[in-house]
Amino acid sequence: MSSIRPSRDAGRRAASPLLTEEDVRTARARSQALGGGVREAFAEAVVRRVFAVQSQDAVAADLGIRVRGRDITAAGIRAAYEVDRSIVGGWFMRGTLHTIPSADARWVLRLLAPRILAATCRGYHQLGLNDGLRERADRARGTNSGPPRHP
């Protein structure tokens, strides 16, 4: 974190920490584009800076992006999702919505999908939904997510 600098009086007191609590809070706010005058110009730049904007729904995700941006509009965010396709939303971690840069989606899915699929599989089996039923549902919807890939 090269943007973190020791407080001005850190050298004066031998027993003082190199970083004060205020230094850490300021550095965190800046890194998250929530303080220190740091703002990004585009939705993709926001999610690239923070890796992911976590939220409970799409409206909150958009607000999480806009608060970190400089004059980012709702239309600009829609364009990033639908026209540029520079950002993507998904339930990559913990069952909550995460908006990430599209360029990162493949490696994030490869990293996290096995864990999510395993947890989902257990939950489906507890509900009495087996792999055969899931495959039949895929066919009925006209989709096919392929053979089950969980352990």
Short mmCIF file of all heavy atoms in Angstrom, two decimals, residues 58-130:
data_model
loop_
_atom_site.label_atom_id
_atom_site.label_comp_id
_atom_site.label_asym_id
_atom_site.label_seq_id
_atom_site.Cartn_x
_atom_site.Cartn_y
_atom_site.Cartn_z
N ALA A 58 -29.37 -5.46 -7.23
CA ALA A 58 -28.79 -4.67 -8.32
C ALA A 58 -28.84 -3.16 -8.04
O ALA A 58 -27.91 -2.44 -8.40
CB ALA A 58 -29.51 -4.98 -9.63
N VAL A 59 -29.90 -2.69 -7.41
CA VAL A 59 -30.00 -1.26 -7.10
C VAL A 59 -28.88 -0.84 -6.15
O VAL A 59 -28.21 0.17 -6.37
CB VAL A 59 -31.39 -0.92 -6.51
CG1 VAL A 59 -31.44 0.52 -6.01
CG2 VAL A 59 -32.48 -1.16 -7.54
N ALA A 60 -28.66 -1.63 -5.12
CA ALA A 60 -27.58 -1.32 -4.17
C ALA A 60 -26.21 -1.43 -4.84
O ALA A 60 -25.31 -0.64 -4.53
CB ALA A 60 -27.67 -2.25 -2.96
N ALA A 61 -26.05 -2.37 -5.76
CA ALA A 61 -24.78 -2.50 -6.48
C ALA A 61 -24.51 -1.23 -7.27
O ALA A 61 -23.39 -0.70 -7.26
CB ALA A 61 -24.81 -3.71 -7.42
N ASP A 62 -25.53 -0.74 -7.97
CA ASP A 62 -25.36 0.50 -8.74
C ASP A 62 -25.00 1.67 -7.84
O ASP A 62 -24.14 2.48 -8.17
CB ASP A 62 -26.63 0.81 -9.53
CG ASP A 62 -26.87 -0.18 -10.67
OD1 ASP A 62 -26.07 -1.12 -10.83
OD2 ASP A 62 -27.87 0.00 -11.38
N LEU A 63 -25.64 1.75 -6.67
CA LEU A 63 -25.31 2.83 -5.74
C LEU A 63 -23.88 2.70 -5.22
O LEU A 63 -23.18 3.70 -5.05
CB LEU A 63 -26.31 2.85 -4.58
CG LEU A 63 -27.72 3.28 -4.94
CD1 LEU A 63 -28.65 3.11 -3.74
CD2 LEU A 63 -27.75 4.71 -5.45
N GLY A 64 -23.44 1.46 -4.97
CA GLY A 64 -22.07 1.23 -4.52
C GLY A 64 -21.04 1.68 -5.55
O GLY A 64 -19.95 2.11 -5.20
N ILE A 65 -21.41 1.57 -6.81
CA ILE A 65 -20.53 2.05 -7.88
C ILE A 65 -20.60 3.57 -7.97
O ILE A 65 -19.56 4.25 -8.02
CB ILE A 65 -20.91 1.40 -9.23
CG1 ILE A 65 -20.59 -0.09 -9.20
CG2 ILE A 65 -20.19 2.09 -10.39
CD1 ILE A 65 -21.16 -0.88 -10.37
N ARG A 66 -21.80 4.11 -7.95
CA ARG A 66 -21.96 5.56 -8.13
C ARG A 66 -21.31 6.36 -7.01
O ARG A 66 -20.73 7.42 -7.26
CB ARG A 66 -23.44 5.92 -8.25
CG ARG A 66 -24.03 5.40 -9.57
CD ARG A 66 -25.46 5.74 -9.71
NE ARG A 66 -25.59 7.15 -10.03
CZ ARG A 66 -26.75 7.77 -10.13
NH1 ARG A 66 -27.88 7.11 -9.94
NH2 ARG A 66 -26.79 9.05 -10.43
N VAL A 67 -21.36 5.87 -5.78
CA VAL A 67 -20.78 6.60 -4.65
C VAL A 67 -19.26 6.69 -4.77
O VAL A 67 -18.63 7.60 -4.24
CB VAL A 67 -21.21 5.99 -3.30
CG1 VAL A 67 -20.51 4.67 -3.03
CG2 VAL A 67 -20.98 6.96 -2.16
N ARG A 68 -18.67 5.76 -5.52
CA ARG A 68 -17.22 5.74 -5.71
C ARG A 68 -16.81 6.45 -7.00
O ARG A 68 -15.64 6.50 -7.33
CB ARG A 68 -16.72 4.30 -5.73
CG ARG A 68 -16.83 3.61 -4.39
CD ARG A 68 -16.55 2.12 -4.52
NE ARG A 68 -16.39 1.51 -3.23
CZ ARG A 68 -17.39 0.98 -2.52
NH1 ARG A 68 -18.62 0.99 -2.99
NH2 ARG A 68 -17.15 0.45 -1.35
N GLY A 69 -17.79 6.93 -7.72
CA GLY A 69 -17.50 7.52 -9.02
C GLY A 69 -17.61 9.03 -9.05
O GLY A 69 -18.14 9.66 -8.14
N ARG A 70 -17.14 9.56 -10.14
CA ARG A 70 -17.22 10.99 -10.39
C ARG A 70 -18.20 11.15 -11.55
O ARG A 70 -17.88 10.84 -12.70
CB ARG A 70 -15.83 11.51 -10.75
CG ARG A 70 -15.74 12.99 -10.99
CD ARG A 70 -14.30 13.45 -11.28
NE ARG A 70 -13.63 12.69 -12.33
CZ ARG A 70 -12.64 11.81 -12.15
NH1 ARG A 70 -12.18 11.58 -10.94
NH2 ARG A 70 -12.09 11.19 -13.16
N ASP A 71 -19.41 11.60 -11.25
CA ASP A 71 -20.44 11.84 -12.26
C ASP A 71 -20.83 10.59 -13.04
O ASP A 71 -21.16 10.66 -14.22
CB ASP A 71 -20.02 12.95 -13.24
CG ASP A 71 -19.72 14.26 -12.52
OD1 ASP A 71 -20.45 14.58 -11.55
OD2 ASP A 71 -18.76 14.95 -12.91
N ILE A 72 -20.79 9.42 -12.40
CA ILE A 72 -21.27 8.20 -13.04
C ILE A 72 -22.78 8.16 -12.90
O ILE A 72 -23.31 8.29 -11.80
CB ILE A 72 -20.64 6.95 -12.40
CG1 ILE A 72 -19.12 6.96 -12.60
CG2 ILE A 72 -21.24 5.68 -13.00
CD1 ILE A 72 -18.40 5.81 -11.93
N THR A 73 -23.45 7.99 -14.01
CA THR A 73 -24.92 7.97 -14.02
C THR A 73 -25.43 6.54 -14.04
O THR A 73 -24.69 5.60 -14.36
CB THR A 73 -25.46 8.69 -15.26
OG1 THR A 73 -25.05 7.96 -16.42
CG2 THR A 73 -24.95 10.13 -15.33
N ALA A 74 -26.72 6.41 -13.75
CA ALA A 74 -27.36 5.09 -13.84
C ALA A 74 -27.25 4.57 -15.27
O ALA A 74 -27.00 3.38 -15.50
CB ALA A 74 -28.81 5.18 -13.40
N ALA A 75 -27.41 5.45 -16.25
CA ALA A 75 -27.29 5.04 -17.66
C ALA A 75 -25.86 4.58 -17.97
O ALA A 75 -25.67 3.63 -18.74
CB ALA A 75 -27.69 6.20 -18.58
N GLY A 76 -24.88 5.22 -17.38
CA GLY A 76 -23.49 4.82 -17.58
C GLY A 76 -23.22 3.44 -17.02
O GLY A 76 -22.48 2.65 -17.62
N ILE A 77 -23.83 3.13 -15.89
CA ILE A 77 -23.67 1.80 -15.30
C ILE A 77 -24.37 0.76 -16.17
O ILE A 77 -23.81 -0.31 -16.45
CB ILE A 77 -24.19 1.78 -13.85
CG1 ILE A 77 -23.32 2.68 -12.98
CG2 ILE A 77 -24.21 0.34 -13.31
CD1 ILE A 77 -23.83 2.88 -11.58
N ARG A 78 -25.59 1.06 -16.62
CA ARG A 78 -26.30 0.14 -17.52
C ARG A 78 -25.47 -0.14 -18.77
O ARG A 78 -25.37 -1.28 -19.21
CB ARG A 78 -27.66 0.71 -17.97
CG ARG A 78 -28.74 0.72 -16.97
CD ARG A 78 -29.20 -0.68 -16.56
NE ARG A 78 -28.71 -0.90 -15.21
CZ ARG A 78 -28.28 -2.03 -14.69
NH1 ARG A 78 -28.28 -3.12 -15.37
NH2 ARG A 78 -27.84 -2.12 -13.48
N ALA A 79 -24.86 0.90 -19.32
CA ALA A 79 -24.03 0.72 -20.52
C ALA A 79 -22.82 -0.17 -20.21
O ALA A 79 -22.43 -0.99 -21.03
CB ALA A 79 -23.57 2.07 -21.06
N ALA A 80 -22.25 -0.03 -19.03
CA ALA A 80 -21.11 -0.87 -18.66
C ALA A 80 -21.52 -2.34 -18.58
O ALA A 80 -20.76 -3.22 -18.98
CB ALA A 80 -20.52 -0.41 -17.32
N TYR A 81 -22.73 -2.61 -18.09
CA TYR A 81 -23.23 -3.99 -18.03
C TYR A 81 -23.64 -4.50 -19.42
O TYR A 81 -23.30 -5.61 -19.79
CB TYR A 81 -24.48 -4.09 -17.15
CG TYR A 81 -24.25 -4.13 -15.66
CD1 TYR A 81 -24.72 -3.11 -14.84
CD2 TYR A 81 -23.60 -5.20 -15.05
CE1 TYR A 81 -24.56 -3.16 -13.47
CE2 TYR A 81 -23.43 -5.25 -13.68
CZ TYR A 81 -23.91 -4.24 -12.90
OH TYR A 81 -23.74 -4.28 -11.54
N GLU A 82 -24.39 -3.68 -20.15
CA GLU A 82 -25.10 -4.19 -21.32
C GLU A 82 -24.47 -3.85 -22.67
O GLU A 82 -24.64 -4.59 -23.63
CB GLU A 82 -26.54 -3.68 -21.29
CG GLU A 82 -27.30 -4.18 -20.06
CD GLU A 82 -28.62 -3.48 -19.85
OE1 GLU A 82 -29.02 -2.67 -20.71
OE2 GLU A 82 -29.26 -3.75 -18.81
N VAL A 83 -23.77 -2.72 -22.78
CA VAL A 83 -23.19 -2.31 -24.06
C VAL A 83 -21.71 -2.65 -24.10
O VAL A 83 -21.26 -3.45 -24.91
CB VAL A 83 -23.44 -0.81 -24.33
CG1 VAL A 83 -22.78 -0.38 -25.63
CG2 VAL A 83 -24.93 -0.51 -24.35
N ASP A 84 -20.96 -2.03 -23.20
CA ASP A 84 -19.50 -2.29 -23.14
C ASP A 84 -19.22 -3.69 -22.61
O ASP A 84 -18.16 -4.26 -22.92
CB ASP A 84 -18.80 -1.30 -22.21
CG ASP A 84 -19.09 0.14 -22.53
OD1 ASP A 84 -19.47 0.42 -23.67
OD2 ASP A 84 -18.93 0.97 -21.62
N ARG A 85 -20.11 -4.17 -21.75
CA ARG A 85 -19.92 -5.46 -21.06
C ARG A 85 -18.61 -5.49 -20.31
O ARG A 85 -17.92 -6.51 -20.24
CB ARG A 85 -20.06 -6.62 -22.03
CG ARG A 85 -21.44 -6.69 -22.61
CD ARG A 85 -21.60 -7.84 -23.54
NE ARG A 85 -22.96 -7.79 -24.08
CZ ARG A 85 -23.69 -8.86 -24.32
NH1 ARG A 85 -23.20 -10.05 -24.08
NH2 ARG A 85 -24.89 -8.73 -24.81
N SER A 86 -18.26 -4.35 -19.74
CA SER A 86 -17.00 -4.24 -19.01
C SER A 86 -17.13 -4.67 -17.56
O SER A 86 -16.13 -4.90 -16.88
CB SER A 86 -16.47 -2.80 -19.08
OG SER A 86 -17.44 -1.91 -18.56
N ILE A 87 -18.38 -4.78 -17.05
CA ILE A 87 -18.62 -5.27 -15.69
C ILE A 87 -19.70 -6.34 -15.75
O ILE A 87 -20.52 -6.38 -16.68
CB ILE A 87 -19.01 -4.15 -14.71
CG1 ILE A 87 -20.30 -3.45 -15.12
CG2 ILE A 87 -17.87 -3.15 -14.55
CD1 ILE A 87 -20.81 -2.42 -14.12
N VAL A 88 -19.68 -7.20 -14.75
CA VAL A 88 -20.66 -8.29 -14.68
C VAL A 88 -21.03 -8.49 -13.22
O VAL A 88 -20.20 -8.33 -12.33
CB VAL A 88 -20.10 -9.58 -15.31
CG1 VAL A 88 -18.89 -10.08 -14.58
CG2 VAL A 88 -21.17 -10.66 -15.41
N GLY A 89 -22.28 -8.82 -12.99
CA GLY A 89 -22.74 -9.12 -11.64
C GLY A 89 -22.99 -10.60 -11.51
O GLY A 89 -23.45 -11.25 -12.45
N GLY A 90 -22.69 -11.15 -10.36
CA GLY A 90 -22.94 -12.57 -10.12
C GLY A 90 -22.84 -12.88 -8.64
O GLY A 90 -22.43 -12.05 -7.84
N TRP A 91 -23.22 -14.10 -8.31
CA TRP A 91 -23.18 -14.55 -6.93
C TRP A 91 -21.94 -15.41 -6.77
O TRP A 91 -22.00 -16.61 -6.57
CB TRP A 91 -24.47 -15.29 -6.59
CG TRP A 91 -25.59 -14.33 -6.43
CD1 TRP A 91 -26.08 -13.87 -5.24
CD2 TRP A 91 -26.34 -13.68 -7.45
NE1 TRP A 91 -27.09 -12.96 -5.46
CE2 TRP A 91 -27.28 -12.83 -6.83
CE3 TRP A 91 -26.31 -13.70 -8.84
CZ2 TRP A 91 -28.16 -12.04 -7.53
CZ3 TRP A 91 -27.20 -12.91 -9.54
CH2 TRP A 91 -28.11 -12.10 -8.88
N PHE A 92 -20.78 -14.76 -6.88
CA PHE A 92 -19.50 -15.44 -6.87
C PHE A 92 -19.09 -15.90 -5.48
O PHE A 92 -18.39 -16.89 -5.33
CB PHE A 92 -18.39 -14.53 -7.41
CG PHE A 92 -18.68 -14.01 -8.79
CD1 PHE A 92 -19.12 -12.70 -8.98
CD2 PHE A 92 -18.53 -14.82 -9.89
CE1 PHE A 92 -19.38 -12.23 -10.25
CE2 PHE A 92 -18.78 -14.35 -11.17
CZ PHE A 92 -19.21 -13.05 -11.34
N MET A 93 -19.47 -15.14 -4.47
CA MET A 93 -19.05 -15.42 -3.09
C MET A 93 -20.22 -15.25 -2.14
O MET A 93 -21.04 -14.36 -2.33
CB MET A 93 -17.94 -14.45 -2.67
CG MET A 93 -16.70 -14.51 -3.53
SD MET A 93 -15.52 -13.20 -3.12
CE MET A 93 -16.06 -11.91 -4.24
N ARG A 94 -20.31 -16.09 -1.17
CA ARG A 94 -21.20 -15.95 -0.02
C ARG A 94 -22.67 -15.75 -0.34
O ARG A 94 -23.42 -15.27 0.49
CB ARG A 94 -20.74 -14.81 0.88
CG ARG A 94 -19.39 -15.03 1.46
CD ARG A 94 -19.03 -13.95 2.41
NE ARG A 94 -19.11 -12.67 1.73
CZ ARG A 94 -18.97 -11.50 2.32
NH1 ARG A 94 -18.78 -11.45 3.59
NH2 ARG A 94 -19.04 -10.39 1.64
N GLY A 95 -23.14 -16.02 -1.52
CA GLY A 95 -24.56 -15.88 -1.81
C GLY A 95 -25.05 -14.45 -1.91
O GLY A 95 -26.25 -14.21 -1.85
N THR A 96 -24.15 -13.49 -2.01
CA THR A 96 -24.55 -12.11 -2.23
C THR A 96 -24.03 -11.65 -3.58
O THR A 96 -23.07 -12.19 -4.11
CB THR A 96 -24.03 -11.15 -1.13
OG1 THR A 96 -22.61 -11.26 -1.06
CG2 THR A 96 -24.63 -11.49 0.23
N LEU A 97 -24.68 -10.65 -4.13
CA LEU A 97 -24.31 -10.14 -5.44
C LEU A 97 -22.97 -9.43 -5.38
O LEU A 97 -22.72 -8.62 -4.48
CB LEU A 97 -25.40 -9.18 -5.93
CG LEU A 97 -25.20 -8.55 -7.30
CD1 LEU A 97 -25.19 -9.62 -8.38
CD2 LEU A 97 -26.31 -7.54 -7.57
N HIS A 98 -22.10 -9.74 -6.34
CA HIS A 98 -20.82 -9.06 -6.47
C HIS A 98 -20.69 -8.59 -7.91
O HIS A 98 -20.89 -9.36 -8.83
CB HIS A 98 -19.66 -10.01 -6.15
CG HIS A 98 -19.50 -10.28 -4.69
ND1 HIS A 98 -20.29 -11.16 -4.02
CD2 HIS A 98 -18.65 -9.75 -3.78
CE1 HIS A 98 -19.93 -11.18 -2.74
NE2 HIS A 98 -18.94 -10.34 -2.58
N THR A 99 -20.36 -7.32 -8.08
CA THR A 99 -20.10 -6.77 -9.41
C THR A 99 -18.58 -6.70 -9.56
O THR A 99 -17.90 -6.11 -8.72
CB THR A 99 -20.73 -5.38 -9.57
OG1 THR A 99 -22.14 -5.50 -9.34
CG2 THR A 99 -20.48 -4.82 -10.96
N ILE A 100 -18.08 -7.32 -10.63
CA ILE A 100 -16.64 -7.38 -10.87
C ILE A 100 -16.35 -6.99 -12.31
O ILE A 100 -17.26 -6.98 -13.14
CB ILE A 100 -16.07 -8.79 -10.57
CG1 ILE A 100 -16.62 -9.82 -11.55
CG2 ILE A 100 -16.33 -9.20 -9.13
CD1 ILE A 100 -15.96 -11.18 -11.44
N PRO A 101 -15.09 -6.68 -12.62
CA PRO A 101 -14.74 -6.43 -14.02
C PRO A 101 -14.96 -7.71 -14.84
O PRO A 101 -14.62 -8.81 -14.41
CB PRO A 101 -13.25 -6.09 -13.97
CG PRO A 101 -12.99 -5.69 -12.56
CD PRO A 101 -13.96 -6.47 -11.72
N SER A 102 -15.54 -7.58 -16.01
CA SER A 102 -15.79 -8.75 -16.86
C SER A 102 -14.52 -9.53 -17.15
O SER A 102 -14.53 -10.76 -17.22
CB SER A 102 -16.43 -8.31 -18.18
OG SER A 102 -17.69 -7.76 -17.93
N ALA A 103 -13.42 -8.82 -17.29
CA ALA A 103 -12.15 -9.48 -17.60
C ALA A 103 -11.72 -10.44 -16.49
O ALA A 103 -10.92 -11.36 -16.75
CB ALA A 103 -11.06 -8.44 -17.84
N ASP A 104 -12.23 -10.28 -15.29
CA ASP A 104 -11.86 -11.14 -14.16
C ASP A 104 -12.83 -12.29 -13.95
O ASP A 104 -12.57 -13.18 -13.13
CB ASP A 104 -11.77 -10.33 -12.87
CG ASP A 104 -10.62 -9.36 -12.87
OD1 ASP A 104 -9.63 -9.61 -13.59
OD2 ASP A 104 -10.69 -8.35 -12.15
N ALA A 105 -13.95 -12.31 -14.66
CA ALA A 105 -15.02 -13.28 -14.39
C ALA A 105 -14.55 -14.73 -14.54
O ALA A 105 -14.88 -15.57 -13.71
CB ALA A 105 -16.22 -13.01 -15.28
N ARG A 106 -13.78 -15.02 -15.57
CA ARG A 106 -13.38 -16.42 -15.79
C ARG A 106 -12.51 -16.97 -14.67
O ARG A 106 -12.74 -18.05 -14.15
CB ARG A 106 -12.67 -16.58 -17.13
CG ARG A 106 -13.63 -16.46 -18.28
CD ARG A 106 -12.91 -16.64 -19.60
NE ARG A 106 -13.79 -16.23 -20.66
CZ ARG A 106 -14.21 -17.03 -21.63
NH1 ARG A 106 -13.80 -18.26 -21.68
NH2 ARG A 106 -15.02 -16.57 -22.54
N TRP A 107 -11.48 -16.22 -14.28
CA TRP A 107 -10.61 -16.76 -13.23
C TRP A 107 -11.32 -16.78 -11.89
O TRP A 107 -11.09 -17.68 -11.07
CB TRP A 107 -9.26 -16.04 -13.16
CG TRP A 107 -9.23 -14.67 -12.60
CD1 TRP A 107 -9.22 -13.50 -13.28
CD2 TRP A 107 -9.17 -14.31 -11.21
NE1 TRP A 107 -9.18 -12.43 -12.41
CE2 TRP A 107 -9.15 -12.92 -11.13
CE3 TRP A 107 -9.14 -15.05 -10.02
CZ2 TRP A 107 -9.10 -12.22 -9.92
CZ3 TRP A 107 -9.10 -14.35 -8.82
CH2 TRP A 107 -9.07 -12.96 -8.78
N VAL A 108 -12.23 -15.82 -11.65
CA VAL A 108 -12.99 -15.82 -10.39
C VAL A 108 -13.89 -17.05 -10.35
O VAL A 108 -13.97 -17.74 -9.32
CB VAL A 108 -13.79 -14.52 -10.24
CG1 VAL A 108 -14.79 -14.62 -9.10
CG2 VAL A 108 -12.86 -13.34 -10.01
N LEU A 109 -14.55 -17.35 -11.46
CA LEU A 109 -15.41 -18.54 -11.51
C LEU A 109 -14.61 -19.82 -11.33
O LEU A 109 -15.02 -20.72 -10.59
CB LEU A 109 -16.19 -18.58 -12.82
CG LEU A 109 -17.36 -17.60 -12.90
CD1 LEU A 109 -17.93 -17.57 -14.32
CD2 LEU A 109 -18.44 -17.95 -11.90
N ARG A 110 -13.47 -19.91 -11.99
CA ARG A 110 -12.63 -21.11 -11.83
C ARG A 110 -12.19 -21.28 -10.37
O ARG A 110 -12.13 -22.39 -9.86
CB ARG A 110 -11.41 -21.05 -12.74
CG ARG A 110 -11.70 -21.44 -14.17
CD ARG A 110 -10.42 -21.70 -14.98
NE ARG A 110 -9.47 -20.62 -14.97
CZ ARG A 110 -9.46 -19.60 -15.83
NH1 ARG A 110 -10.36 -19.53 -16.79
NH2 ARG A 110 -8.55 -18.66 -15.74
N LEU A 111 -11.90 -20.17 -9.72
CA LEU A 111 -11.44 -20.22 -8.33
C LEU A 111 -12.57 -20.57 -7.36
O LEU A 111 -12.40 -21.39 -6.47
CB LEU A 111 -10.82 -18.87 -7.95
CG LEU A 111 -10.33 -18.72 -6.51
CD1 LEU A 111 -9.12 -19.61 -6.29
CD2 LEU A 111 -10.00 -17.26 -6.23
N LEU A 112 -13.73 -19.95 -7.55
CA LEU A 112 -14.79 -20.04 -6.54
C LEU A 112 -15.91 -21.02 -6.86
O LEU A 112 -16.60 -21.47 -5.95
CB LEU A 112 -15.39 -18.65 -6.31
CG LEU A 112 -14.40 -17.59 -5.83
CD1 LEU A 112 -15.05 -16.23 -5.77
CD2 LEU A 112 -13.81 -17.98 -4.49
N ALA A 113 -16.10 -21.37 -8.12
CA ALA A 113 -17.24 -22.21 -8.49
C ALA A 113 -17.25 -23.57 -7.79
O ALA A 113 -18.32 -24.01 -7.35
CB ALA A 113 -17.30 -22.39 -10.01
N PRO A 114 -16.13 -24.28 -7.65
CA PRO A 114 -16.20 -25.59 -6.99
C PRO A 114 -16.79 -25.51 -5.58
O PRO A 114 -17.61 -26.34 -5.20
CB PRO A 114 -14.74 -26.06 -6.97
CG PRO A 114 -14.12 -25.37 -8.14
CD PRO A 114 -14.79 -24.02 -8.19
N ARG A 115 -16.40 -24.51 -4.84
CA ARG A 115 -16.91 -24.35 -3.47
C ARG A 115 -18.40 -24.04 -3.48
O ARG A 115 -19.18 -24.60 -2.72
CB ARG A 115 -16.13 -23.24 -2.76
CG ARG A 115 -16.54 -23.03 -1.33
CD ARG A 115 -15.77 -21.85 -0.71
NE ARG A 115 -16.59 -21.16 0.23
CZ ARG A 115 -17.46 -20.19 -0.04
NH1 ARG A 115 -17.60 -19.77 -1.25
NH2 ARG A 115 -18.17 -19.62 0.89
N ILE A 116 -18.81 -23.11 -4.36
CA ILE A 116 -20.22 -22.73 -4.45
C ILE A 116 -21.06 -23.91 -4.92
O ILE A 116 -22.14 -24.18 -4.38
CB ILE A 116 -20.39 -21.51 -5.39
CG1 ILE A 116 -19.66 -20.29 -4.83
CG2 ILE A 116 -21.86 -21.21 -5.63
CD1 ILE A 116 -20.14 -19.80 -3.49
N LEU A 117 -20.59 -24.64 -5.94
CA LEU A 117 -21.34 -25.79 -6.44
C LEU A 117 -21.48 -26.87 -5.37
O LEU A 117 -22.54 -27.48 -5.23
CB LEU A 117 -20.67 -26.36 -7.69
CG LEU A 117 -20.85 -25.52 -8.95
CD1 LEU A 117 -20.00 -26.09 -10.08
CD2 LEU A 117 -22.31 -25.44 -9.35
N ALA A 118 -20.43 -27.11 -4.63
CA ALA A 118 -20.49 -28.11 -3.57
C ALA A 118 -21.52 -27.71 -2.51
O ALA A 118 -22.33 -28.53 -2.07
CB ALA A 118 -19.12 -28.31 -2.94
N ALA A 119 -21.51 -26.46 -2.10
CA ALA A 119 -22.47 -25.98 -1.11
C ALA A 119 -23.89 -26.03 -1.66
O ALA A 119 -24.83 -26.43 -0.95
CB ALA A 119 -22.11 -24.56 -0.67
N THR A 120 -24.06 -25.64 -2.92
CA THR A 120 -25.38 -25.67 -3.55
C THR A 120 -25.87 -27.10 -3.67
O THR A 120 -27.05 -27.38 -3.41
CB THR A 120 -25.31 -25.01 -4.94
OG1 THR A 120 -24.83 -23.68 -4.77
CG2 THR A 120 -26.65 -24.96 -5.60
N CYS A 121 -25.01 -28.01 -4.07
CA CYS A 121 -25.36 -29.42 -4.22
C CYS A 121 -25.88 -29.98 -2.90
O CYS A 121 -26.91 -30.65 -2.87
CB CYS A 121 -24.15 -30.20 -4.70
SG CYS A 121 -24.49 -31.95 -4.99
N ARG A 122 -25.18 -29.71 -1.82
CA ARG A 122 -25.64 -30.18 -0.50
C ARG A 122 -27.03 -29.65 -0.19
O ARG A 122 -27.89 -30.38 0.27
CB ARG A 122 -24.65 -29.76 0.58
CG ARG A 122 -23.40 -30.62 0.64
CD ARG A 122 -22.57 -30.32 1.89
NE ARG A 122 -22.09 -28.95 1.95
CZ ARG A 122 -20.96 -28.50 1.41
NH1 ARG A 122 -20.19 -29.34 0.74
NH2 ARG A 122 -20.60 -27.25 1.52
N GLY A 123 -27.23 -28.36 -0.44
CA GLY A 123 -28.54 -27.77 -0.17
C GLY A 123 -29.64 -28.37 -1.02
O GLY A 123 -30.74 -28.65 -0.52
N TYR A 124 -29.36 -28.60 -2.30
CA TYR A 124 -30.36 -29.22 -3.19
C TYR A 124 -30.71 -30.62 -2.71
O TYR A 124 -31.86 -31.02 -2.70
CB TYR A 124 -29.85 -29.26 -4.62
CG TYR A 124 -29.86 -27.93 -5.34
CD1 TYR A 124 -29.08 -27.74 -6.46
CD2 TYR A 124 -30.65 -26.87 -4.90
CE1 TYR A 124 -29.08 -26.53 -7.14
CE2 TYR A 124 -30.65 -25.66 -5.55
CZ TYR A 124 -29.87 -25.49 -6.67
OH TYR A 124 -29.88 -24.29 -7.33
N HIS A 125 -29.70 -31.39 -2.34
CA HIS A 125 -29.94 -32.75 -1.88
C HIS A 125 -30.74 -32.76 -0.58
O HIS A 125 -31.59 -33.62 -0.37
CB HIS A 125 -28.65 -33.53 -1.75
CG HIS A 125 -28.10 -33.97 -3.07
ND1 HIS A 125 -28.63 -35.00 -3.81
CD2 HIS A 125 -27.08 -33.48 -3.81
CE1 HIS A 125 -27.98 -35.14 -4.94
NE2 HIS A 125 -27.02 -34.22 -4.97
N GLN A 126 -30.50 -31.79 0.29
CA GLN A 126 -31.28 -31.69 1.53
C GLN A 126 -32.75 -31.39 1.23
O GLN A 126 -33.63 -31.79 1.98
CB GLN A 126 -30.70 -30.61 2.44
CG GLN A 126 -29.38 -30.99 3.07
CD GLN A 126 -28.73 -29.83 3.80
OE1 GLN A 126 -29.15 -28.68 3.69
NE2 GLN A 126 -27.69 -30.14 4.57
N LEU A 127 -33.00 -30.72 0.11
CA LEU A 127 -34.38 -30.42 -0.31
C LEU A 127 -34.99 -31.55 -1.13
O LEU A 127 -36.14 -31.46 -1.55
CB LEU A 127 -34.41 -29.12 -1.13
CG LEU A 127 -34.05 -27.85 -0.38
CD1 LEU A 127 -33.90 -26.69 -1.35
CD2 LEU A 127 -35.11 -27.53 0.67
N GLY A 128 -34.22 -32.59 -1.39
CA GLY A 128 -34.71 -33.70 -2.18
C GLY A 128 -34.58 -33.49 -3.68
O GLY A 128 -35.16 -34.22 -4.47
N LEU A 129 -33.81 -32.48 -4.09
CA LEU A 129 -33.60 -32.20 -5.51
C LEU A 129 -32.29 -32.85 -5.94
O LEU A 129 -31.22 -32.42 -5.54
CB LEU A 129 -33.55 -30.69 -5.75
CG LEU A 129 -34.76 -29.90 -5.25
CD1 LEU A 129 -34.51 -28.42 -5.35
CD2 LEU A 129 -36.01 -30.30 -6.00
N ASN A 130 -32.37 -33.89 -6.77
CA ASN A 130 -31.16 -34.58 -7.18
C ASN A 130 -30.69 -34.10 -8.55
O ASN A 130 -31.35 -33.29 -9.20
CB ASN A 130 -31.36 -36.10 -7.15
CG ASN A 130 -32.46 -36.54 -8.09
OD1 ASN A 130 -32.72 -35.92 -9.13
ND2 ASN A 130 -33.14 -37.63 -7.73
#
